[in-house]
Amino acid sequence: MVLGVRAIPFTFVAHVLAILGLVFVLVWTLHFRGGLAWEATDKSLIFNLHPLLMLVGFIIIGGEAIISYKSLPLRKDVKKLIHLVLHAIALALGILGIYTAFKYHNESGIANLYSLHSWLGIGIIVIYGIQWIYGFLVFFYPGGTPEIRSVCIPWHVVIGLTVFTLAVGNAAIGFLEKLTFLENTGLAKYGSEALLVNFTAVITILYGAFVILSVLSQSPTEDENSYSPI
């Protein structure tokens, strides 16, 4: 813990931003981009699953997993389980989100892994998966000794926040990349859709910032396996 203030106000703002992010990405994909589909002749409907799954599934649910220690006044073991399960859901939806991008590219005849966004995305999801497995083994089952957990917790926190920060930054790159493609094919640069995409990216960045502020603030109740050791 670094900031001498309670985390609750920061977690509240993060929750509000998460809801706004969900609404904005749904409006973009459903209203402006025509909807969502797993199989379609219009391959862009398949792609629309990618930003939805990555923002809501990977970043928002992953962020909620991070701040669960600071936003929930529950017993340590309950918060640990919620933290573990939410991260597992985020990881699964993130993997599915990346798969939808590959599926869209393959069915549209577009090359894979040619952009910085795609390179970072693969690296982030791999590290996220390793982080989850490491956390499961050390803090959940079979669980390390108190000494091992004490040594591992700062690294677990730092690596987790680093991966989350990279994911937020890469999401912003992804929004920029897609918007640039759309504008190059005729989308109005100052139109409502372009503004919506930019605001969605801003909300994503702000959400990430408030998640980090929450981690650096005081929990409702301090315990040995919260994020307070940093």
Side-chain angles (χ1 to χ4, degrees), residues 5 7 42 67 74 94 119 158 163 194 202 214-215:
V5 294
D42 182 358
I67 64 175
L74 302 172
W119 292 5
V158 169
V163 173
V202 170
S214 300
V215 171

Side-chain angles (χ1 to χ4, degrees), residues 162-202:
T162 300
V163 173
F164 178 73
T165 302
L166 288 171
V168 170
N170 199 40
I173 293 174
F175 284 122
L176 173 63
E177 182 181 281
K178 183 62 176 179
L179 183 58
T180 301
F181 289 156
L182 293 173
E183 289 174 346
N184 287 340
T185 56
L187 184 72
K189 289 181 171 57
Y190 297 100
S192 54
E193 182 177 357
L195 292 175
L196 177 67
V197 174
N198 280 331
F199 275 117
T200 305
V202 170

Side-chain angles (χ1 to χ4, degrees), residues 13-30:
V13 175
H15 296 326
V16 172
L17 290 169
I19 294 170
L20 286 175
L22 169 62
V23 171
F24 277 34
V25 77
L26 284 174
V27 171
W28 182 38
T29 55
L30 297 178

Side-chain angles (χ1 to χ4, degrees), residues 38-133:
W38 188 255
E39 298 290 345
T41 53
D42 182 358
K43 302 305 178 184
S44 64
L45 301 184
I46 299 172
F47 175 84
N48 291 346
L49 289 167
H50 178 69
L52 177 64
L53 289 169
M54 299 311 293
L55 178 59
V56 178
F58 192 52
I59 292 177
I60 291 179
I61 294 179
E64 293 299 315
I66 291 172
I67 64 175
S68 61
Y69 276 111
K70 297 302 180 84
S71 62
L72 301 174
L74 302 172
R75 296 195 324 270
K76 179 182 67 180
D77 57 335
V78 175
K79 290 192 289 187
K80 184 188 294 186
L81 181 60
I82 292 171
H83 179 78
L84 178 78
V85 171
L86 287 179
H87 272 310
I89 294 171
L91 177 61
L93 293 178
I95 292 171
L96 185 61
I98 289 177
Y99 175 78
T100 60
F102 277 94
K103 179 178 170 64
Y104 163 70
H105 280 201
N106 291 337
E107 295 186 12
S108 302
I110 301 172
N112 290 307
L113 298 175
Y114 62 87
S115 67
L116 175 64
H117 175 66
S118 61
W119 292 5
L120 288 174
I122 294 297
I124 289 165
I125 202 75
V126 169
I127 299 172
Y128 197 103
I130 294 171
Q131 167 85 340
W132 188 88
I133 294 169

